[in-house]
């Protein structure tokens, strides 16, 4: 390191005097410290998504039931559609 560089480093490391303006406005920037809180467990799925999946499962069960018992479901549909007197 040359002597010129050493002198520049000394000047930089010296205390810098603060010059405050006598007129005008002076602004300060306030930086807040980061505050960490305890970690919380977050749900992987929202409640709406869970309800939607439950509706899909229920309709799939009903469809499977109709496919497994076609004669029962058709006879029940016919009874429901025919007017009883």
């Amino acid at each position: 390191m040359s002597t010129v560089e050493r002198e520049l480093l000394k000047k930089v490391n010296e205390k810098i005097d603060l010059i405050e303006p006598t007129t005008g406005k002076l602004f300060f920037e306030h930086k807040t410290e980061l505050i960490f809180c305890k970690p919380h467990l977050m749900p992987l799925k929202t409640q709406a998504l869970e309800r939607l999946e439950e509706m899909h499962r229920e309709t799939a069960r009903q469809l499977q039931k109709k496919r497994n018992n076609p004669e029962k479901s058709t006879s029940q549909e016919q009874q429901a559609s025919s007017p009883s007197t």
Side-chain angles (χ1 to χ4, degrees):
M1 188 181 300
S2 69
T3 56
V4 176
E5 290 175 341
R6 285 187 198 135
E7 288 177 19
L8 286 174
L9 281 176
K10 285 180 186 177
K11 288 180 182 178
V12 170
N13 290 336
E14 291 177 5
K15 185 177 178 182
I16 299 172
D17 293 329
L18 178 64
I19 302 171
E20 294 181 8
T22 56
T23 60
K25 295 183 180 179
L26 184 62
F27 293 95
F28 290 98
E29 186 176 329
H30 180 69
K31 288 190 176 182
T32 57
E33 296 284 328
L34 291 177
I35 300 173
F36 293 103
C37 61
K38 290 172 45 176
H40 298 283
L41 292 177
M42 300 293 290
L44 296 176
K45 295 181 181 179
T46 62
Q47 291 178 349
L49 182 61
E50 288 178 0
R51 280 183 279 176
L52 186 63
E53 288 177 345
E54 181 61 33
M55 287 173 29
H56 282 286
R57 283 192 294 268
E58 185 62 33
T59 53
R61 276 188 227 121
Q62 290 174 358
L63 184 63
Q64 188 67 28
K65 219 183 252 188
K66 285 183 181 180
R67 286 181 181 167
N68 289 339
N69 302 325
E71 63 278 348
K72 287 184 182 178
S73 63
T74 54
S75 64
Q76 288 175 354
E77 289 173 0
Q78 289 174 355
Q79 290 174 358
S81 64
S82 63
S84 58
T85 51

